[in-house]
Amino acid sequence: MKIKNHPVKPFSKIAVLSQTVAHTIPVKLAVGLTLALTISLSVNSNAMSTEKPLVEADNAHKKSMHHQLKSHLPEALFPQKPLVTHMYTADPSAHVFNGKLYIYPSHDIESGVVRNSSGGHFDMRDYHVFSIDTVNENTQPKVVDHGQALHVDQVPWATKQMWAPDAAEKDGKYYLYFPAKDKDDIFRIGVATADTPTGPFVPEAEPIENAYSIDPSVFQDDDGSYYLYVGGIMGGQLQRWQTGSYVEEDKYPADNEPVYMPKIAKLNADMKSLAQPLQDVVLQDEFGKPILQGDFDRKFFEAAWVHKIKNTYYFSYSTGHSRFIQYGTSKSPYGPFTWKGKVLEPVLGWTNHHSIAEFEGKWYLFFHDTSLSGGKTHLRNIKMVELIHNPDGTIQTVDAYLGEISE
Protein backbone atom coordinates (compact mmCIF):
# COMPACT_ATOMS: atom_id res chain seq x y z
CA MET A 1 0.00 0.00 0.00
CA LYS A 2 1.43 3.37 -0.97
CA ILE A 3 1.45 6.11 1.65
CA LYS A 4 0.24 9.59 0.83
CA ASN A 5 3.02 12.15 1.14
CA HIS A 6 1.88 14.11 4.20
CA PRO A 7 4.11 16.44 6.20
CA VAL A 8 3.62 15.40 9.83
CA LYS A 9 3.81 17.66 12.86
CA PRO A 10 2.37 17.25 16.35
CA PHE A 11 -0.49 19.61 17.11
CA SER A 12 -2.99 19.15 19.96
CA LYS A 13 -2.91 15.40 19.27
CA ILE A 14 -5.45 15.66 16.46
CA ALA A 15 -5.29 15.25 12.71
CA VAL A 16 -6.76 18.20 10.86
CA LEU A 17 -6.71 19.89 7.49
CA SER A 18 -7.02 23.61 6.87
CA GLN A 19 -10.44 24.88 5.82
CA THR A 20 -10.51 25.42 2.07
CA VAL A 21 -12.54 27.23 -0.55
CA ALA A 22 -14.66 25.10 -2.89
CA HIS A 23 -12.67 22.64 -4.99
CA THR A 24 -9.22 23.78 -3.83
CA ILE A 25 -6.70 21.31 -2.44
CA PRO A 26 -6.59 21.22 1.39
CA VAL A 27 -3.21 21.67 3.08
CA LYS A 28 -2.26 19.40 5.94
CA LEU A 29 -1.66 21.31 9.16
CA ALA A 30 -0.98 18.53 11.56
CA VAL A 31 -1.19 14.87 12.28
CA GLY A 32 -0.73 13.21 15.63
CA LEU A 33 -1.79 10.20 17.52
CA THR A 34 -4.83 10.88 19.62
CA LEU A 35 -7.09 9.34 22.17
CA ALA A 36 -5.55 5.89 22.43
CA LEU A 37 -8.72 4.70 23.99
CA THR A 38 -9.02 1.44 25.87
CA ILE A 39 -12.17 -0.39 26.74
CA SER A 40 -13.42 -1.35 30.13
CA LEU A 41 -15.04 -4.68 29.54
CA SER A 42 -18.12 -4.64 31.69
CA VAL A 43 -21.72 -5.55 31.02
CA ASN A 44 -24.62 -3.73 32.61
CA SER A 45 -26.76 -6.35 34.29
CA ASN A 46 -29.98 -4.64 33.24
CA ALA A 47 -29.18 -5.42 29.61
CA MET A 48 -29.82 -9.14 30.12
CA SER A 49 -32.96 -10.74 28.68
CA THR A 50 -34.80 -13.90 29.53
CA GLU A 51 -35.60 -14.60 25.90
CA LYS A 52 -33.53 -17.49 24.54
CA PRO A 53 -31.97 -15.79 21.50
CA LEU A 54 -31.00 -12.80 23.61
CA VAL A 55 -29.47 -14.96 26.33
CA GLU A 56 -27.45 -16.84 23.73
CA ALA A 57 -26.29 -13.59 22.16
CA ASP A 58 -25.29 -12.18 25.53
CA ASN A 59 -23.32 -15.31 26.45
CA ALA A 60 -21.50 -15.11 23.13
CA HIS A 61 -20.81 -11.44 23.81
CA LYS A 62 -19.25 -12.23 27.20
CA LYS A 63 -16.93 -14.75 25.58
CA SER A 64 -15.95 -12.27 22.87
CA MET A 65 -14.77 -9.77 25.46
CA HIS A 66 -11.74 -11.93 26.11
CA HIS A 67 -10.82 -11.93 22.43
CA GLN A 68 -9.41 -8.62 21.23
CA LEU A 69 -9.45 -7.97 17.49
CA LYS A 70 -6.12 -6.91 16.04
CA SER A 71 -5.27 -5.35 12.69
CA HIS A 72 -2.34 -6.36 10.52
CA LEU A 73 -2.16 -2.88 8.97
CA PRO A 74 0.58 -0.40 9.99
CA GLU A 75 -0.58 1.77 12.90
CA ALA A 76 1.14 4.78 11.33
CA LEU A 77 -1.62 4.91 8.70
CA PHE A 78 -4.25 5.72 11.32
CA PRO A 79 -3.90 8.81 13.56
CA GLN A 80 -6.75 7.54 15.78
CA LYS A 81 -7.16 4.16 17.44
CA PRO A 82 -10.38 2.12 17.68
CA LEU A 83 -12.60 2.79 20.66
CA VAL A 84 -13.79 -0.81 20.80
CA THR A 85 -11.63 -3.84 19.99
CA HIS A 86 -13.63 -6.88 21.14
CA MET A 87 -16.34 -6.53 18.49
CA TYR A 88 -16.95 -4.66 15.25
CA THR A 89 -18.88 -1.42 15.51
CA ALA A 90 -19.92 1.27 13.02
CA ASP A 91 -22.08 4.36 12.45
CA PRO A 92 -21.50 5.93 15.89
CA SER A 93 -24.18 8.32 17.16
CA ALA A 94 -22.85 10.19 20.18
CA HIS A 95 -24.82 12.05 22.85
CA VAL A 96 -24.19 13.46 26.29
CA PHE A 97 -26.76 12.48 28.90
CA ASN A 98 -26.39 13.44 32.56
CA GLY A 99 -22.80 14.53 32.03
CA LYS A 100 -21.68 11.22 30.49
CA LEU A 101 -20.87 10.49 26.87
CA TYR A 102 -22.89 7.68 25.29
CA ILE A 103 -22.25 6.14 21.87
CA TYR A 104 -24.94 4.26 19.96
CA PRO A 105 -23.31 2.39 17.05
CA SER A 106 -24.42 -0.42 14.81
CA HIS A 107 -22.87 -3.85 15.43
CA ASP A 108 -21.10 -5.34 12.42
CA ILE A 109 -20.91 -9.13 12.12
CA GLU A 110 -19.64 -11.68 9.62
CA SER A 111 -22.89 -13.34 8.53
CA GLY A 112 -21.72 -14.83 5.27
CA VAL A 113 -23.94 -12.66 3.06
CA VAL A 114 -22.16 -11.92 -0.22
CA ARG A 115 -21.39 -8.25 -0.87
CA ASN A 116 -24.02 -6.65 -3.08
CA SER A 117 -25.23 -3.21 -4.20
CA SER A 118 -28.22 -3.27 -1.82
CA GLY A 119 -25.96 -3.61 1.21
CA GLY A 120 -27.13 -7.06 2.24
CA HIS A 121 -23.65 -7.86 3.58
CA PHE A 122 -24.25 -5.24 6.27
CA ASP A 123 -26.35 -7.80 8.13
CA MET A 124 -26.42 -6.31 11.62
CA ARG A 125 -28.83 -7.83 14.15
CA ASP A 126 -28.51 -5.97 17.44
CA TYR A 127 -27.28 -2.84 19.22
CA HIS A 128 -24.88 -2.27 22.09
CA VAL A 129 -24.51 1.00 23.99
CA PHE A 130 -21.10 2.31 25.04
CA SER A 131 -20.19 5.08 27.46
CA ILE A 132 -17.22 7.25 28.41
CA ASP A 133 -17.04 9.08 31.73
CA THR A 134 -14.31 11.54 30.77
CA VAL A 135 -11.81 12.30 28.02
CA ASN A 136 -8.30 13.44 28.88
CA GLU A 137 -5.44 13.76 26.42
CA ASN A 138 -2.98 12.56 29.03
CA THR A 139 -4.76 9.34 29.93
CA GLN A 140 -6.65 6.57 28.19
CA PRO A 141 -10.39 6.93 28.82
CA LYS A 142 -12.35 3.82 29.67
CA VAL A 143 -15.02 2.81 27.20
CA VAL A 144 -17.72 0.73 28.87
CA ASP A 145 -19.81 -1.74 26.90
CA HIS A 146 -23.23 -1.93 28.57
CA GLY A 147 -24.19 -5.06 26.69
CA GLN A 148 -26.98 -5.76 24.27
CA ALA A 149 -29.65 -3.05 24.29
CA LEU A 150 -31.94 -4.31 21.52
CA HIS A 151 -32.05 -7.33 19.18
CA VAL A 152 -33.95 -7.70 15.92
CA ASP A 153 -35.80 -10.69 17.38
CA GLN A 154 -37.43 -8.33 19.88
CA VAL A 155 -38.91 -6.09 17.18
CA PRO A 156 -42.26 -7.49 15.99
CA TRP A 157 -42.22 -5.85 12.56
CA ALA A 158 -38.50 -6.15 11.74
CA THR A 159 -36.71 -9.02 10.00
CA LYS A 160 -33.10 -7.98 9.41
CA GLN A 161 -30.45 -5.31 8.90
CA MET A 162 -30.42 -3.19 12.04
CA TRP A 163 -28.42 -0.35 10.49
CA ALA A 164 -27.25 2.98 11.93
CA PRO A 165 -29.29 4.05 15.00
CA ASP A 166 -29.62 7.24 17.03
CA ALA A 167 -30.90 8.15 20.48
CA ALA A 168 -32.64 11.01 22.26
CA GLU A 169 -33.79 11.89 25.76
CA LYS A 170 -36.95 13.65 26.90
CA ASP A 171 -38.31 14.02 30.43
CA GLY A 172 -36.14 11.21 31.77
CA LYS A 173 -37.12 8.75 29.04
CA TYR A 174 -34.66 7.52 26.42
CA TYR A 175 -35.58 6.77 22.83
CA LEU A 176 -33.62 4.59 20.41
CA TYR A 177 -34.39 5.22 16.74
CA PHE A 178 -33.32 2.57 14.28
CA PRO A 179 -33.85 1.36 10.69
CA ALA A 180 -34.63 -2.24 9.81
CA LYS A 181 -36.25 -4.12 6.98
CA ASP A 182 -39.80 -5.38 7.35
CA LYS A 183 -41.27 -8.61 5.95
CA ASP A 184 -41.54 -6.97 2.52
CA ASP A 185 -37.83 -6.10 2.49
CA ILE A 186 -38.59 -2.38 2.90
CA PHE A 187 -36.59 -0.22 5.30
CA ARG A 188 -38.72 1.35 8.02
CA ILE A 189 -37.80 3.49 11.02
CA GLY A 190 -38.53 2.05 14.44
CA VAL A 191 -38.37 3.46 17.95
CA ALA A 192 -37.79 1.79 21.31
CA THR A 193 -37.86 3.26 24.81
CA ALA A 194 -35.97 2.78 28.06
CA ASP A 195 -35.63 4.33 31.51
CA THR A 196 -31.85 4.59 31.21
CA PRO A 197 -29.50 5.64 28.38
CA THR A 198 -28.15 2.08 28.16
CA GLY A 199 -31.46 0.23 27.95
CA PRO A 200 -32.66 -2.42 27.60
CA PHE A 201 -34.95 -0.76 25.07
CA VAL A 202 -38.52 -1.91 24.49
CA PRO A 203 -39.58 -1.49 20.84
CA GLU A 204 -42.93 -0.29 19.59
CA ALA A 205 -45.03 -2.96 17.89
CA GLU A 206 -45.05 -1.01 14.61
CA PRO A 207 -42.56 1.29 12.87
CA ILE A 208 -43.06 5.05 12.91
CA GLU A 209 -45.91 5.80 10.53
CA ASN A 210 -44.84 7.52 7.30
CA ALA A 211 -41.14 7.31 8.18
CA TYR A 212 -38.89 5.38 5.82
CA SER A 213 -35.39 4.79 4.47
CA ILE A 214 -32.40 4.64 6.86
CA ASP A 215 -30.06 6.59 9.12
CA PRO A 216 -32.51 8.21 11.55
CA SER A 217 -30.95 11.16 13.35
CA VAL A 218 -32.79 13.13 16.02
CA PHE A 219 -31.87 16.73 16.81
CA GLN A 220 -33.11 18.52 19.93
CA ASP A 221 -33.35 22.28 19.47
CA ASP A 222 -32.97 24.90 22.19
CA ASP A 223 -36.74 25.44 22.40
CA GLY A 224 -37.37 21.77 23.23
CA SER A 225 -38.45 20.76 19.74
CA TYR A 226 -37.19 17.47 18.32
CA TYR A 227 -36.60 16.82 14.63
CA LEU A 228 -36.10 13.51 12.82
CA TYR A 229 -33.78 13.39 9.81
CA VAL A 230 -33.67 10.29 7.58
CA GLY A 231 -32.38 9.18 4.22
CA GLY A 232 -29.97 6.93 2.38
CA ILE A 233 -29.50 6.26 -1.33
CA MET A 234 -29.16 2.86 -3.05
CA GLY A 235 -29.42 0.24 -0.27
CA GLY A 236 -31.13 2.84 1.91
CA GLN A 237 -34.00 2.98 -0.62
CA LEU A 238 -34.61 6.75 -0.51
CA GLN A 239 -34.74 6.78 -4.32
CA ARG A 240 -37.79 4.51 -4.15
CA TRP A 241 -39.85 7.05 -2.18
CA GLN A 242 -39.71 10.03 -4.53
CA THR A 243 -43.44 9.79 -5.35
CA GLY A 244 -44.39 9.69 -1.66
CA SER A 245 -45.05 5.95 -1.87
CA TYR A 246 -42.68 3.02 -2.12
CA VAL A 247 -41.92 2.00 -5.71
CA GLU A 248 -39.66 -0.99 -6.21
CA GLU A 249 -37.60 0.64 -8.91
CA ASP A 250 -34.28 2.44 -8.68
CA LYS A 251 -34.32 5.67 -10.68
CA TYR A 252 -31.83 8.49 -10.17
CA PRO A 253 -31.67 12.10 -11.36
CA ALA A 254 -29.61 13.11 -14.39
CA ASP A 255 -26.25 14.68 -13.59
CA ASN A 256 -27.62 18.19 -14.24
CA GLU A 257 -30.62 17.70 -11.93
CA PRO A 258 -30.76 18.22 -8.15
CA VAL A 259 -29.70 15.24 -6.09
CA TYR A 260 -32.27 13.38 -4.01
CA MET A 261 -32.32 15.27 -0.74
CA PRO A 262 -32.45 13.95 2.84
CA LYS A 263 -35.74 14.28 4.72
CA ILE A 264 -36.88 16.03 7.89
CA ALA A 265 -40.01 16.03 10.05
CA LYS A 266 -40.74 17.43 13.48
CA LEU A 267 -41.57 14.80 16.08
CA ASN A 268 -44.74 14.86 18.15
CA ALA A 269 -44.55 15.22 21.91
CA ASP A 270 -44.73 11.43 22.30
CA MET A 271 -41.38 11.13 20.45
CA LYS A 272 -42.85 8.15 18.58
CA SER A 273 -44.71 9.80 15.72
CA LEU A 274 -44.29 12.53 13.13
CA ALA A 275 -45.95 15.89 13.62
CA GLN A 276 -45.77 16.57 9.88
CA PRO A 277 -44.97 14.74 6.64
CA LEU A 278 -41.34 14.19 5.77
CA GLN A 279 -40.01 16.99 3.56
CA ASP A 280 -36.78 17.71 1.70
CA VAL A 281 -33.78 19.20 3.44
CA VAL A 282 -32.38 21.28 0.59
CA LEU A 283 -28.60 21.17 0.28
CA GLN A 284 -27.23 23.97 -1.87
CA ASP A 285 -23.85 24.99 -3.18
CA GLU A 286 -21.96 28.17 -2.36
CA PHE A 287 -23.99 30.02 -5.01
CA GLY A 288 -27.35 29.09 -3.50
CA LYS A 289 -28.20 26.47 -6.14
CA PRO A 290 -29.30 22.91 -5.19
CA ILE A 291 -26.40 20.46 -5.25
CA LEU A 292 -26.63 18.39 -8.42
CA GLN A 293 -26.48 14.66 -8.99
CA GLY A 294 -23.29 15.12 -10.99
CA ASP A 295 -21.52 16.89 -8.11
CA PHE A 296 -19.73 13.68 -7.17
CA ASP A 297 -17.83 15.08 -4.17
CA ARG A 298 -20.74 16.92 -2.55
CA LYS A 299 -24.00 15.13 -3.35
CA PHE A 300 -25.98 13.59 -0.50
CA PHE A 301 -25.82 9.83 0.00
CA GLU A 302 -26.58 9.06 3.68
CA ALA A 303 -25.65 9.75 7.33
CA ALA A 304 -27.46 13.02 8.06
CA TRP A 305 -26.38 14.71 11.29
CA VAL A 306 -27.18 18.12 12.80
CA HIS A 307 -25.40 20.03 15.52
CA LYS A 308 -25.85 23.65 16.53
CA ILE A 309 -23.52 26.40 17.74
CA LYS A 310 -25.22 29.60 18.89
CA ASN A 311 -27.74 30.36 16.12
CA THR A 312 -26.09 28.31 13.38
CA TYR A 313 -27.25 24.83 12.41
CA TYR A 314 -24.65 22.51 10.88
CA PHE A 315 -25.89 19.74 8.60
CA SER A 316 -23.24 17.12 7.83
CA TYR A 317 -23.59 14.02 5.68
CA SER A 318 -21.79 11.31 3.74
CA THR A 319 -21.31 11.55 -0.02
CA GLY A 320 -21.21 7.78 -0.56
CA HIS A 321 -19.02 6.82 -3.50
CA SER A 322 -16.61 9.75 -3.04
CA ARG A 323 -16.52 8.95 0.71
CA PHE A 324 -16.39 12.47 2.11
CA ILE A 325 -18.26 13.89 5.09
CA GLN A 326 -19.40 17.32 3.87
CA TYR A 327 -21.33 20.02 5.72
CA GLY A 328 -23.43 23.10 5.22
CA THR A 329 -24.95 25.69 7.52
CA SER A 330 -28.34 27.33 7.96
CA LYS A 331 -30.32 29.49 10.35
CA SER A 332 -33.13 26.91 10.45
CA PRO A 333 -33.20 23.18 11.22
CA TYR A 334 -35.20 22.77 7.99
CA GLY A 335 -32.51 24.43 5.89
CA PRO A 336 -31.70 25.20 3.17
CA PHE A 337 -28.12 24.38 4.11
CA THR A 338 -25.37 26.12 2.18
CA TRP A 339 -22.22 24.06 1.59
CA LYS A 340 -19.19 25.20 3.57
CA GLY A 341 -16.64 22.42 3.35
CA LYS A 342 -15.51 18.96 4.39
CA VAL A 343 -15.63 17.56 7.90
CA LEU A 344 -13.80 14.31 7.14
CA GLU A 345 -11.64 13.00 4.32
CA PRO A 346 -12.21 9.43 3.05
CA VAL A 347 -11.42 6.67 5.54
CA LEU A 348 -10.31 3.11 4.91
CA GLY A 349 -13.44 1.24 3.79
CA TRP A 350 -16.27 2.03 1.39
CA THR A 351 -18.59 3.73 3.90
CA ASN A 352 -18.12 6.95 5.84
CA HIS A 353 -20.57 7.68 8.66
CA HIS A 354 -20.22 10.04 11.61
CA SER A 355 -21.71 12.11 14.40
CA ILE A 356 -20.62 15.28 16.19
CA ALA A 357 -21.08 16.03 19.89
CA GLU A 358 -19.80 18.48 22.50
CA PHE A 359 -18.37 16.93 25.66
CA GLU A 360 -16.55 18.57 28.54
CA GLY A 361 -16.20 21.85 26.66
CA LYS A 362 -14.80 20.39 23.42
CA TRP A 363 -16.37 19.21 20.19
CA TYR A 364 -15.64 15.70 18.96
CA LEU A 365 -16.10 13.88 15.69
CA PHE A 366 -17.13 10.23 15.92
CA PHE A 367 -16.63 8.07 12.84
CA HIS A 368 -15.67 4.59 11.72
CA ASP A 369 -13.18 2.88 9.44
CA THR A 370 -12.06 -0.68 8.72
CA SER A 371 -8.58 -0.56 10.22
CA LEU A 372 -9.35 -3.31 12.74
CA SER A 373 -10.54 -5.79 10.12
CA GLY A 374 -7.71 -5.00 7.73
CA GLY A 375 -9.98 -3.23 5.25
CA LYS A 376 -13.11 -5.43 5.16
CA THR A 377 -15.78 -2.90 4.32
CA HIS A 378 -18.57 -4.59 6.33
CA LEU A 379 -16.45 -5.07 9.48
CA ARG A 380 -15.81 -1.63 10.90
CA ASN A 381 -14.66 0.01 14.12
CA ILE A 382 -15.63 3.31 15.70
CA LYS A 383 -13.19 6.11 16.53
CA MET A 384 -13.23 9.68 17.80
CA VAL A 385 -11.13 12.81 17.43
CA GLU A 386 -11.40 16.41 18.59
CA LEU A 387 -13.16 18.61 16.03
CA ILE A 388 -12.07 22.24 15.73
CA HIS A 389 -14.46 25.02 14.78
CA ASN A 390 -12.66 28.13 13.54
CA PRO A 391 -13.56 31.61 14.85
CA ASP A 392 -15.53 32.24 11.64
CA GLY A 393 -17.63 29.12 12.26
CA THR A 394 -16.01 26.90 9.63
CA ILE A 395 -14.77 23.43 10.55
CA GLN A 396 -11.19 22.22 10.23
CA THR A 397 -11.20 19.09 8.08
CA VAL A 398 -10.04 15.85 9.69
CA ASP A 399 -7.88 13.32 7.83
CA ALA A 400 -8.09 9.99 9.62
CA TYR A 401 -6.35 7.76 7.05
CA LEU A 402 -2.88 8.42 5.66
CA GLY A 403 -2.83 5.66 3.06
CA GLU A 404 -4.03 5.44 -0.52
CA ILE A 405 -7.78 5.30 -1.21
CA SER A 406 -8.89 2.60 -3.64
CA GLU A 407 -12.30 1.32 -4.76
Side-chain angles (χ1 to χ4, degrees), residues 33-217:
L33 298 179
T34 182
L35 299 173
L37 302 177
T38 59
I39 184 162
S40 173
L41 303 177
S42 64
V43 178
N44 188 333
S45 61
N46 70 5
M48 301 301 179
S49 170
T50 57
E51 297 183 37
K52 184 178 179 181
L54 304 185
V55 171
E56 292 174 348
D58 189 72
N59 289 337
H61 165 64
K62 286 180 179 179
K63 293 179 181 179
S64 74
M65 286 181 162
H66 301 290
H67 175 67
Q68 300 301 301
L69 303 167
K70 293 183 180 180
S71 174
H72 66 271
L73 299 177
E75 290 187 2
L77 294 177
F78 306 97
Q80 293 79 39
K81 294 186 177 181
L83 291 173
V84 177
T85 58
H86 69 285
M87 62 190 292
Y88 292 113
T89 51
D91 313 315
S93 292
H95 293 275
V96 177
F97 299 132
N98 304 316
K100 181 181 289 190
L101 179 65
Y102 292 91
I103 306 174
Y104 300 83
S106 51
H107 176 196
D108 284 350
I109 60 172
E110 184 63 89
S111 68
V113 176
V114 177
R115 182 173 178 173
N116 56 70
S117 60
S118 65
H121 50 301
F122 296 106
D123 192 24
M124 297 86 100
R125 298 170 183 171
D126 68 352
Y127 298 113
H128 283 235
V129 180
F130 300 86
S131 67
I132 296 174
D133 285 336
T134 188
V135 175
N136 190 318
E137 286 185 328
N138 300 316
T139 61
Q140 294 183 336
K142 292 182 178 180
V143 180
V144 179
D145 182 349
H146 294 271
Q148 189 180 86
L150 183 66
H151 191 281
V152 67
D153 290 347
Q154 292 176 287
V155 185
W157 58 268
T159 62
K160 59 183 177 180
Q161 290 177 277
M162 304 278 274
W163 285 9
D166 194 21
E169 180 274 337
K170 182 181 180 182
D171 299 332
K173 284 284 187 181
Y174 297 87
Y175 300 85
L176 183 70
Y177 299 87
F178 59 93
K181 283 188 174 178
D182 64 12
K183 61 180 177 60
D184 296 316
D185 214 34
I186 299 174
F187 267 116
R188 307 288 184 178
I189 305 298
V191 60
T193 57
D195 293 325
T196 71
T198 58
F201 288 87
V202 178
E204 294 295 303
E206 299 292 338
I208 298 175
E209 187 176 3
N210 298 322
Y212 49 79
S213 193
I214 61 169
D215 293 355
S217 174

Side-chain angles (χ1 to χ4, degrees), residues 15-21 24-30 341-342 345 390 394-399:
V16 299
L17 290 174
S18 63
Q19 180 62 40
T20 60
V21 181
T24 61
I25 298 175
V27 179
K28 178 75 69 180
L29 288 182
K342 286 183 286 188
E345 295 283 355
N390 295 315
T394 56
I395 293 174
Q396 294 184 16
T397 309
V398 173
D399 194 352

Side-chain angles (χ1 to χ4, degrees), residues 282-329:
V282 176
L283 307 179
Q284 58 190 28
D285 62 22
E286 62 272 34
F287 305 110
K289 302 295 185 180
I291 289 179
L292 302 180
Q293 176 74 8
D295 194 338
F296 189 68
D297 288 349
R298 295 190 296 180
K299 66 179 181 180
F300 173 78
F301 186 80
E302 62 184 3
W305 188 266
V306 172
H307 73 285
K308 184 181 182 182
I309 298 180
K310 296 181 179 179
N311 294 320
T312 299
Y313 298 85
Y314 291 75
F315 185 95
S316 46
Y317 59 96
S318 171
T319 60
H321 294 82
S322 55
R323 308 184 195 180
F324 296 112
I325 299 295
Q326 300 276 11
Y327 78 99
T329 60

